[in-house]
Amino acid sequence: MHRLDAPNPNKVSPEFASRLTNLEPQQKVRVIVLLQVQDAQSLANKRQSPNERQAVIQAVQKSAEQALGNIIGIIQNFDGRSLTEHPDLFGSISLEITVAGVNALAESEAVKAVIEDQSIYPISRK
């Protein structure tokens, strides 16, 4: 078994990283990628009108789409595929990608965090 270096500890939990290092680099896993998005937190702390809330949602979605554009190459290079069409309202997207791809995502400035979307088992090919 080939062990990979652990992914960026600031973006992947130690427990998830430990499970990943026990898999082959080409094995695929499902993950949720939290994208770096424009900080709407400062706006969320004040009372907003419906129009203001909608503007914040649109800004987060636009920012998430831009961040996703920055990692499309990583997803493609590591045999990944998106399990959702667009990032959600929180700026996250579900992916199926190789273990090596998880490590590459964790190194990207466009990614805030990578979390597991399931118990980690290799995806079997039929």
Side-chain angles (χ1 to χ4, degrees), residues 98-110:
T98 62
V99 172
V102 172
N103 292 342
L105 287 169
E107 294 302 319
S108 172
E109 290 183 12

Side-chain angles (χ1 to χ4, degrees), residues 15-81:
E15 296 83 9
F16 183 33
S18 175
R19 286 189 285 279
L20 287 173
T21 59
N22 291 319
L23 297 175
E24 294 291 327
Q26 74 281 1
Q27 286 180 299
K28 286 194 174 183
V29 295
R30 288 179 51 158
V31 296
I32 299 171
V33 178
L34 305 177
L35 300 165
Q36 286 287 4
V37 294
Q38 170 182 315
D39 183 22
Q41 183 64 33
S42 60
L43 298 173
N45 290 332
K46 67 176 190 165
R47 188 154 178 86
Q48 298 173 330
S49 71
N51 288 342
E52 289 171 325
R53 282 191 298 275
Q54 190 60 38
V56 170
I57 290 169
Q58 289 174 347
V60 168
Q61 287 177 317
K62 182 178 179 182
S63 181
E65 288 289 346
Q66 289 173 340
L68 178 59
N70 291 331
I71 63 168
I72 288 294
I74 295 170
I75 296 168
Q76 293 171 344
N77 289 340
F78 290 94
D79 197 24
R81 71 181 181 97

